[in-house]
Amino acid sequence: FDKAYAMVEWVKEFEGKNSKHIAIEIWNSQEVLTGARPVGGAIMVSSHLHRLGLKPLRITSRPSYTQDWTASWYKKWMPWVLPEDIYMQQNGEHINSDFKVGTIKDHKIEIFFEDNPDDARKIVEGTKATVVFTLKTSSIFFCLANSFNFSTSSLLSPAAVLLLINA
């Protein structure tokens, strides 16, 4: 009963806000950002790229106040990712997909992995990058299977990938 009451009090904090705003606040909380597990296949792909000597940039549209949480998350799950390879906005207090688009343009990134459909659309519309939009947590395996000699037999479930390609 105490937990149910706590939930009621917590929900009251969001009164008058729309559901998207609430979801963004929850997603960008310290508890969620530091406790989230990596997307299926992300550690394996990142580790493989690291062993190949490739250092893809990590670009996030998260608010600037999440920088320390994001860095500690990478240190925990992918310690080979250096803080200078994580690009975050420096002074924005809200999610800003335009930051992601601008950084992709500035660094002339040709292929970008994205799990947010709104950001994927904006990246395709605003850059020359090919966007690999992951629809399932295991899709990253399938997408990279041919490019990096991954065995498709290592897949745990069918994968669905949508490539959004700029003409």
Side-chain angles (χ1 to χ4, degrees):
F1 181 73
D2 288 339
K3 288 182 181 179
Y5 179 76
M7 185 69 160
V8 168
E9 291 302 309
W10 179 74
V11 168
K12 285 181 184 177
E13 291 179 32
F14 298 105
E15 198 168 319
K17 297 179 182 177
N18 69 38
S19 59
K20 185 173 183 177
H21 182 76
I22 294 169
I24 289 169
E25 282 189 28
I26 293 169
W27 175 247
N28 286 303
S29 68
Q30 181 176 7
E31 183 178 7
V32 170
L33 288 178
T34 58
R37 298 182 61 82
V39 171
I43 292 175
M44 185 191 77
V45 170
S46 180
S47 172
H48 189 73
L49 294 174
H50 176 71
R51 285 192 307 274
L52 291 172
L54 301 172
K55 292 174 52 171
L57 303 180
R58 278 40 180 211
I59 304 169
T60 179
S61 57
R62 293 177 183 169
S64 58
Y65 66 86
T66 66
Q67 278 187 315
D68 291 340
W69 306 334
T70 301
S72 68
W73 184 91
Y74 273 102
K75 186 175 183 177
K76 175 182 178 180
W77 292 104
M78 299 178 200
W80 53 87
V81 175
L82 302 175
E84 58 266 21
D85 294 331
I86 304 169
Y87 284 72
M88 293 184 69
Q89 48 182 334
Q90 297 300 307
N91 53 16
E93 294 304 312
H94 302 286
I95 289 178
N96 180 359
S97 58
D98 292 334
F99 169 79
K100 198 179 282 187
V101 169
T103 305
I104 291 168
K105 284 169 120 175
D106 291 347
H107 292 276
K108 297 176 178 51
I109 293 172
E110 296 178 14
I111 299 174
F112 193 79
F113 290 85
E114 182 58 59
D115 63 354
N116 179 310
D118 292 334
D119 286 0
R121 181 185 51 78
K122 287 182 179 181
I123 293 166
V124 166
E125 292 172 355
T127 73
K128 294 181 178 182
T130 296
V131 175
V132 180
F133 177 60
T134 57
L135 299 173
K136 302 257 188 228
T137 57
S138 63
S139 62
I140 198 166
F141 284 107
F142 185 73
C143 179
L144 294 177
N146 293 333
S147 299
F148 295 100
N149 298 319
F150 288 119
S151 167
T152 54
S153 63
S154 67
L155 296 177
L156 301 176
S157 62
V161 175
L162 173 64
L163 288 174
L164 303 173
I165 302 173
N166 271 317

